Amino acid sequence: MKAAPLLVAIVATLAGCVTSGEEVPTPSGGTMHQAKCNVSPNECMKSAAKVCKGKYQVLDSSSNSGGLIADIEPGPFTWYRMSYSCGATDGRLPTFPFRGQQYTPAPVIYTPAQPAMRTTNCNRLGNGVSCTTF
C-alpha cells in the first residue's frame, strides 16, 4: 500500500504545471522564468504568481499539442508555455497562441466481417443423392 501515495503524487505532477527552476538572464539585466502546463493555461499564471510571490510580467506565451506526459510529438492534449519575469507589470495577460503541428488522430478503419465460405459436395448413388456441406 506504500505505492498508492507515490502513484497519486506522480499523477498529480503529470497533470499539473512544471516550472523551470532555471533563471535565465535577460538583456535588461533581469531574470526570466518559464512555466509549462498541460491542464489549463490558468496553472501557468498561478505558478508564476507563486514563484514571484505576486506581480510578474508576461514576456511570451504559446500553446501546442502533445501527449499526456510530454509534448515531444503532437497528441490529443494541449500544452501551455509562458515566459515571465518577476516584478513590475503592464497587466498584459498571456494569449497562448497555438504554435506547432496539429494533432490528427489515426483514422478508424472499419472492416465488416466476411461471411464464412461454405462448400457443398453432392454424390449420386443409384437413384439417391447425398450432400455434405462444410
Side-chain angles (χ1 to χ4, degrees):
M1 291 313 273
K2 291 181 181 180
L6 179 61
L7 181 62
V8 170
I10 290 171
V11 169
T13 301
L14 295 176
C17 191
V18 179
T19 302
S20 170
E22 181 181 13
E23 293 184 357
V24 179
T26 62
S28 67
T31 56
M32 177 182 76
H33 304 272
Q34 293 187 347
K36 179 177 169 184
C37 309
N38 67 346
V39 174
S40 156
N42 295 340
E43 295 302 316
C44 286
M45 293 184 283
K46 288 178 185 176
S47 175
K50 184 177 179 180
V51 168
C52 294
K53 297 177 179 63
K55 295 182 181 181
Y56 60 93
Q57 173 68 42
V58 176
L59 304 175
D60 189 30
S61 64
S62 65
S63 61
N64 60 286
S65 66
L68 175 62
I69 299 173
D71 61 339
I72 297 169
E73 59 184 55
F77 296 91
T78 301
W79 284 79
Y80 304 94
R81 298 172 184 271
M82 185 174 78
S83 300
Y84 59 94
S85 61
C86 297
T89 179
D90 61 6
R92 182 177 56 96
L93 292 172
T95 58
F96 298 104
F98 192 87
R99 297 180 187 152
Q101 296 178 334
Q102 294 283 346
Y103 172 68
T104 305
V108 176
I109 300 172
Y110 172 72
T111 306
Q114 299 293 324
M117 302 250 333
R118 300 181 67 92
T119 303
T120 302
N121 284 337
C122 296
N123 294 318
R124 175 179 253 171
L125 186 58
N127 286 337
V129 176
S130 67
C131 294
T132 307
T133 301
F134 54 94

